[in-house]
């Protein structure tokens, strides 16, 4: 069986040697070979059976005396061990591992499959390639060991290997009290708290001191919140609050793990989030989940809640599909009108776009009016939201942790912390490469506005007020109050094309008119803190009562997994895709055309 190209390339990247039976032939070196315990001896026997492709059976199987022989009658293959001085260590005394010539073919007819012992075989592959698929395990076992596994056996084998490498999901909850204590101890100012009910895990909230300091010192007061379901035996959800750094980079402020995404859990998470803001007013951007709607309005005020426009647009599109309006062009026109309504900065532009939608279809216009445009339309939202219309940055965070969500909760938090520090370090070092006082993304937006300002005419007025003419309308720019009648300067913090035209006329530096939150000095403040690593060489020990005790004598209460379990069946691996996501184009391998595959190709070959 040939390996897939993708798996072979990953093995080449990790310099991993594929599964081999030969390396198991000397799992037992001979008489006087000792093993730490009986289980280690059983693993060695199983590895030898894979290498020699034969069946075996136990004549004696106890922690102190074990005797194994070949399943074929009259075959001399035999190994016997005894305990050493009454302890768990086993030593080989009888060692006869040569099959006779007559029985050799019969011995190798079929090898037993053991998911418990097979973990040892695939463990090395799994450590270097965590995405090792069950179907690839089946191919490797048949090619290297002559064993045919079913998909179900391979899947259970991978799950057992995950538990061996990362620990069981159930046992990982016991370390959460210690982990919260260590996070607060190593990085003072970190908020790491959990709740429980009758000894079972309920909620977890973590906000690192580095993140709290960075947000307070320079991030704009806008947070995108979202949830992501974790895979595993328990119905957990990962909650996150994401901010923007000076160049619109992802900056995690807080995350939480809760039993389910409901009002109680969202309220608890947002209440903790409000506590670390120390009274600072922020704008919360989210979807319209009922738990979020009620908790945000109660804690932050209904006027500070902005709805994600992408979710609104998807709901509008679904409503459109139920109206029996025929034609693809009709839907494109309706969505374009909705965009004009959402992104209109002036009330007059909003009203004009809304009237066009009324003339297009009255039911669609009523849907817009009934779905709270004051929370998602720019001209209707009363607070400054810095032109942030969606929760895409929170969605990016969820995709960023796509692999980690399959781990136990303890492994998830540890892997996330290392990955977070790596991202923060990348952003911090990337600041040294900025070619101006603002970041590359901000520079690109600014240069676009400067290019668009070329045909604009400027007429100075008294009192640092200027009248600009775009070729269609006149607008007023007030330099003293940093205002433009198009409202772009006030809403985004960046000079609009009208302001850029005025700056060019005055021969001023355009960077003097940018909000300080975009500048390199702010970026340096955001990433000026320290983040100490968490050592795990002194992990606490589990006591007989189920509690944990570390090396300093601190005792932590026993914590069990959540009482709610995931329903039977394989959980969904992929999220429901957005209606507006870009799908990969299909290429034909026969004619190299687009839009069809080889089996449906009707094009003549050249």
């Amino acid at each position: 069986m040939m390996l897939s190209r993708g798996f072979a390339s990953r093995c080449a990247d990790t310099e991993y040697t594929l599964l081999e039976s030969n390396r198991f032939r000397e799992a037992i070196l001979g008489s006087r070979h000792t093993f730490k315990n009986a289980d280690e001896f059983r693993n060695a026997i199983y590895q030898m059976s894979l290498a020699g492709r034969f069946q075996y059976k136990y004549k004696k199987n106890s922690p102190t005396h074990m005797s194994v022989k070949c399943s074929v009658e009259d075959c001399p293959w035999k190994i016997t061990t005894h305990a050493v001085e009454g302890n768990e260590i086993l030593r080989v005394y009888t060692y006869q591992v040569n099959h006779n010539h007559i029985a050799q073919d019969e011995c190798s007819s079929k090898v037993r499959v053991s998911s418990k012992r097979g973990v040892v075989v695939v463990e090395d592959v799994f450590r270097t390639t965590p995405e090792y698929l069950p179907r690839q395990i089946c191919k490797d076992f048949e090619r290297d060991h002559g064993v045919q596994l079913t998909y179900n056996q391979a899947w259970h084998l991978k799950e057992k290997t995950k538990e061996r490498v990362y620990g069981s999901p159930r046992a990982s909850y016991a370390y959460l009290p210690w982990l919260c204590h260590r996070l607060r101890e190593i990085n003072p100012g970190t908020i790491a708290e959990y709740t429980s009910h009758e000894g079972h895990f309920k909620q977890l909230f973590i906000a690192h001191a580095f993140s709290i300091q960075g947000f307070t010192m320079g991030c704009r007061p806008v947070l995108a919140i979202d949830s992501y379901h974790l895979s595993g035996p328990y119905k957990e959800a990962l909650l996150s609050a994401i901010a923007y750094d000076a160049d619109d980079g992802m900056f995690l402020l807080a995350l939480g793990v809760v039993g389910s995404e409901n009002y109680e859990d969202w309220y608890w998470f947002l209440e903790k989030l409000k506590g670390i803001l120390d009274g600072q007013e922020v704008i919360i951007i989210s979807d319209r989940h009922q738990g979020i709607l009620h908790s945000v309005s109660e804690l932050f005020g209904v006027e500070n809640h902005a709805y994600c426009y992408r979710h609104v647009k998807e709901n509008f599109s679904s409503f459109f599909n139920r109206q029996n309006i025929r034609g693809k062009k009709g839907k494109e026109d309706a969505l374009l009108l909705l965009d004009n309504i959402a992104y209109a900065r002036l009330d007059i532009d909003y009203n004009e776009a809304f009237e066009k939608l009324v003339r297009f279809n009255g039911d669609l216009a009523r849907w817009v009016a009934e779905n709270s445009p004051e929370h998602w339309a720019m001209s209707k939202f009363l607070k400054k939201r810095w032109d942030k219309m969606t929760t895409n940055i929170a969605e990016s965070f969820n995709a960023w942790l796509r692999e980690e969500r399959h781990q136990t909760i303890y492994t998830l938090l540890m892997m996330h912390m290392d990955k977070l520090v790596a991202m923060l370090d990348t952003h911090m070092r990337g600041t040294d490469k900025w070619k101006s006082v603002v970041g590359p993304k901000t520079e690109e937006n600014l240069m676009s506005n400067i290019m668009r300002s070329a045909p604009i005419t400027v007429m100075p007025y008294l009192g640092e007020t200027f009248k600009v003419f775009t070729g269609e309308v006149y607008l007023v720019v007030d330099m003293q109050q940093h205002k433009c009648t198009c409202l772009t300067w006030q809403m985004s913090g960046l000079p609009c094309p009208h302001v850029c035209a005025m700056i060019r006329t005055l021969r001023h530096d355009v960077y003097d008119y940018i909000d300080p939150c975009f500048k390199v000095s702010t970026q340096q403040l955001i990433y000026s803190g320290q983040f100490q690593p968490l050592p795990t060489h002194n992990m606490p020990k589990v006591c007989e009562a189920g509690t944990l005790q570390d090396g300093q004598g601190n005792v932590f209460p026993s914590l069990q997994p959540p009482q709610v379990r995931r329903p039977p069946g394989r959980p969904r691996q992929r999220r429901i895709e957005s209606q507006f996501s870009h799908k990969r184009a299909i290429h034909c391998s026969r004619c190299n055309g687009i839009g069809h595959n080889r089996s449906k190709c009707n094009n003549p070959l050249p």
Side-chain angles (χ1 to χ4, degrees), residues 443-463:
E443 183 79 10
E444 183 180 355
N445 295 333
L446 185 61
M447 290 300 107
S448 175
N449 289 343
I450 292 175
M451 293 292 292
R452 292 163 56 193
S453 70
I456 296 178
T457 304
V458 179
M459 291 172 284
Y461 270 62
L462 298 178

Side-chain angles (χ1 to χ4, degrees), residues 162-344:
K162 286 175 61 176
E163 289 192 14
R164 182 182 176 94
V165 175
Y166 300 116
S168 67
R170 181 180 184 86
S172 65
Y173 287 92
Y175 292 93
L176 286 184
W178 170 83
L179 180 60
C180 292
H181 170 77
R182 289 293 287 156
L183 289 176
R184 296 190 299 264
E185 185 179 49
I186 291 178
N187 293 290
T190 295
I191 307 298
E193 300 179 3
Y194 73 96
T195 63
S196 61
H197 177 68
E198 297 180 352
H200 291 269
F201 170 81
K202 191 176 181 182
Q203 299 157 326
L204 173 70
F205 179 88
I206 295 178
H208 298 287
F210 184 98
S211 301
I212 299 174
Q213 175 184 328
F215 181 82
T216 305
M217 297 186 69
C219 290
R220 280 157 282 175
V222 180
L223 291 174
I225 63 174
D226 197 15
S227 65
Y228 198 64
H229 290 287
L230 301 177
S231 65
Y234 306 102
K235 295 172 60 177
E236 298 163 305
L238 178 70
L239 311 183
S240 59
I242 312 297
Y244 301 84
D245 66 11
D247 197 37
D248 282 348
M250 182 195 305
F251 190 83
L252 174 66
L253 177 57
L255 63 83
V257 178
V258 295
S260 60
E261 188 184 3
N262 54 32
Y263 165 75
E264 180 184 0
D265 289 332
W266 269 117
Y267 187 92
W268 183 84
F269 176 79
L270 293 175
E271 186 179 33
K272 296 297 180 182
L273 180 64
K274 185 178 181 180
I276 67 176
L277 296 176
D278 196 22
Q280 181 182 3
E281 185 180 29
V282 296
I283 302 299
I284 302 294
I285 305 177
S286 72
D287 59 22
R288 295 187 290 176
H289 185 278
Q290 290 300 314
I292 299 178
L293 290 178
H294 295 308
S295 54
V296 170
S297 62
E298 294 175 15
L299 293 169
F300 295 91
V302 66
E303 69 281 359
N304 290 329
H305 192 187
Y307 298 162
C308 173
Y309 174 60
R310 182 174 59 83
H311 287 87
V312 173
K313 191 173 182 179
E314 289 183 354
N315 294 337
F316 177 84
S317 177
S318 300
F319 179 79
F320 180 93
N321 295 335
R322 299 193 295 269
Q323 300 308 302
N324 296 322
I325 302 176
R326 297 184 177 181
K328 182 178 180 181
K329 186 65 168 59
K331 185 173 184 179
E332 293 177 353
D333 292 341
L335 293 175
L336 182 60
L337 290 174
L338 185 68
D339 286 342
N340 294 336
I341 291 174
Y343 290 98

Side-chain angles (χ1 to χ4, degrees), residues 349-403:
D349 295 332
Y350 174 91
N351 294 332
E352 181 181 351
F354 187 80
E355 289 300 324
K356 289 182 179 179
L357 185 61
V358 170
R359 293 192 295 270
F360 180 84
N361 187 286
D363 292 334
L364 297 179
R366 279 191 293 273
W367 186 94
V368 170
E370 294 171 357
N371 279 267
S372 307
E374 66 274 11
H375 289 286
W376 50 268
M378 275 189 172
S379 61
K380 298 300 181 181
F381 195 73
L382 301 179
K383 299 295 183 70
K384 185 175 181 178
R385 60 189 292 177
W386 299 89
D387 278 3
K388 302 305 177 187
M389 295 288 288
T390 67
T391 58
N392 286 350
I393 195 168
E395 297 283 350
S396 299
F397 173 78
N398 294 335
W400 182 65
L401 286 180
R402 181 169 297 169
E403 296 300 327

Side-chain angles (χ1 to χ4, degrees), residues 98-166:
N98 292 324
H99 299 270
N100 61 36
H101 180 73
I102 298 175
Q104 182 62 44
D105 294 336
E106 191 176 357
C107 288
S108 59
S109 59
K110 185 179 179 181
V111 183
R112 293 186 304 174
V113 177
S114 171
S115 60
K116 182 177 181 181
R117 307 300 166 198
V119 169
V120 182
V121 181
V122 301
E123 181 179 350
D124 291 342
V125 184
F126 183 78
R127 287 183 182 275
T128 56
T129 312
E131 61 273 20
Y132 198 22
L133 300 177
R135 62 174 177 267
Q136 190 60 54
I137 295 176
C138 295
K139 293 179 181 179
D140 292 349
F141 259 79
E142 183 171 4
R143 184 197 66 241
D144 296 333
H145 308 305
V147 179
Q148 291 185 350
L149 301 180
T150 65
Y151 184 91
N152 189 48
Q153 288 175 320
W155 185 85
H156 282 287
L157 184 59
K158 181 178 178 180
E159 293 300 308
K160 291 288 185 180
T161 306
K162 286 175 61 176
E163 289 192 14
R164 182 182 176 94
V165 175
Y166 300 116

Side-chain angles (χ1 to χ4, degrees), residues 437 446 495 503-504 506-514:
V437 297
L446 185 61
I503 294 173
R504 185 184 66 249
L506 296 178
R507 299 181 182 275
H508 288 181
D509 188 352
V510 68
Y511 297 108
D512 294 338
Y513 297 90
I514 296 176

